[in-house]
Amino acid sequence: MFWELQARETLLDFHRNQDTIMTNQINRAERFQKKQLKELKEAGQVDMYPEVSLRNMEEIFRNIAIVVLISVLLIVSPMFLSDRSKQMTELQYTSRTGRHLFRKKFAAGMFSSFIVMTVLLAVYLSFYSLNDPSAFFEVPINSFIAAHYWYHLTFFQYIVLSIVAIYVLGFILTIISMGISTLVPSFISLIGIQVIVVLTLLIFGLKYMLSLMVSMGVPIWLVPVLYGILIMGVILITWRLWMRERKLDIVL
């Protein structure tokens, strides 16, 4: 009860001092943030709801993304290297359809990743639903205390956007992992390179491409540019790998 009374008093203070709080935040904000903060102040989407549910959702989705991405990596990493380590490539390429196996394996890897991500998301989101987040589904995310975002999304739209981001990151990691699997000479090399890729993605990628993807704490152009670079990169990787397979000579 004492904790609830203290929390209620804090919320009342935010409601009573909204104008002063927003004015101070606008004065302290960077130049590229001021316009958005002024629009939020005029719309009244400021410091109306406790931020506990929002922070809880962001933390849970970050942990879900970590589990999903590592699971995808474990599934698709050995896909191409496994056949090469067993010296099956030479035998496959002697048949008419041998070189088309690359496309089939690639499609199978993407489909497998989709199934893994869907199953894991369904399981973990069912656990998350036990927190009863539906009470805030229609609340604008900019209305939570100390939360400022570039886009006027509701809490439910923010959840959907986070799920889409996890899928996109999962497919990007899938293509990168399969690309590495076609190039490395051994499983030891595969593990070593994949560890670097995963650590980079988990330490830096998830921060900007999931946790801060719509946050006003970073420039509005940064996250779309990062996604654009990665998507163009994996498209180039896919094209180069396919061209390499078409022209690859078999040395007996």
Side-chain angles (χ1 to χ4, degrees):
M1 181 179 295
F2 288 109
W3 282 108
E4 289 182 6
L5 290 173
Q6 181 180 356
R8 290 180 182 180
E9 185 62 30
T10 301
L11 292 175
L12 289 173
D13 286 338
F14 272 104
H15 279 279
R16 285 192 292 262
N17 301 305
Q18 278 188 15
D19 189 69
T20 302
I21 293 172
M22 283 302 297
T23 300
N24 292 335
Q25 289 178 344
I26 292 172
N27 292 334
R28 294 194 303 267
E30 300 291 337
R31 180 176 57 82
F32 61 86
Q33 299 171 330
K34 290 183 182 293
K35 180 181 178 181
Q36 179 73 358
L37 288 174
K38 290 178 180 178
E39 291 178 358
L40 293 176
K41 182 180 178 181
E42 293 173 358
Q45 292 188 16
V46 289
D47 299 334
M48 297 174 62
Y49 296 90
E51 78 283 6
V52 177
S53 294
L54 182 64
R55 300 308 178 202
N56 174 256
M57 171 263 171
E58 291 177 337
E59 183 63 27
I60 287 176
F61 271 71
R62 178 179 174 83
N63 293 330
I64 291 175
I66 292 173
V67 174
V68 168
L69 294 178
I70 292 177
S71 300
V72 166
L73 190 71
L74 294 175
I75 292 294
V76 302
S77 288
M79 183 165 292
F80 289 94
L81 180 59
S82 179
D83 282 349
R84 293 211 333 273
S85 65
K86 298 174 184 176
Q87 298 181 340
M88 293 292 293
T89 306
E90 291 83 356
L91 179 62
Q92 292 169 354
Y93 282 13
T94 58
S95 67
R96 182 182 297 272
T97 60
R99 292 185 183 271
H100 296 295
L101 288 176
F102 175 83
R103 287 188 296 182
K104 294 180 179 179
K105 289 180 183 179
F106 187 87
M110 298 295 286
F111 186 65
S112 300
S113 298
F114 175 76
I115 293 176
V116 170
M117 289 188 286
T118 301
V119 171
L120 289 175
L121 283 169
V123 171
Y124 285 109
L125 289 177
S126 64
F127 289 134
Y128 173 63
S129 66
L130 299 177
N131 291 345
D132 195 21
S134 59
F136 296 95
F137 275 178
E138 300 302 321
V139 175
I141 56 177
N142 280 303
S143 295
F144 289 96
I145 293 174
H148 299 300
Y149 299 90
W150 288 113
Y151 306 103
H152 302 299
L153 302 173
T154 63
F155 187 61
F156 180 74
Q157 291 171 335
Y158 189 32
I159 290 176
V160 173
L161 181 63
S162 299
I163 294 173
V164 172
I166 292 174
Y167 270 109
V168 173
L169 291 172
F171 286 129
I172 289 173
L173 183 60
T174 297
I175 295 174
I176 293 174
S177 299
M178 289 192 292
I180 295 173
S181 183
T182 63
L183 299 175
V184 295
S186 65
F187 282 99
I188 299 297
S189 303
L190 177 66
I191 294 172
I193 296 176
Q194 296 287 39
V195 167
I196 297 174
V197 172
V198 170
L199 288 178
T200 302
L201 183 60
L202 296 184
I203 295 174
F204 301 103
L206 287 186
K207 177 180 179 181
Y208 293 102
M209 302 181 72
L210 183 65
S211 300
L212 299 176
M213 62 178 170
V214 292
S215 174
M216 208 178 296
V218 297
I220 190 172
W221 54 266
L222 179 62
V223 176
V225 167
L226 290 177
Y227 271 104
I229 291 173
L230 282 178
I231 291 172
M232 291 300 296
V234 296
I235 291 174
L236 180 61
I237 289 172
T238 304
W239 179 76
R240 290 289 297 174
L241 289 175
W242 173 236
M243 295 302 296
R244 175 179 174 271
E245 289 295 313
R246 291 183 62 185
K247 298 178 181 179
L248 187 65
D249 289 331
I250 300 174
V251 180
L252 299 177

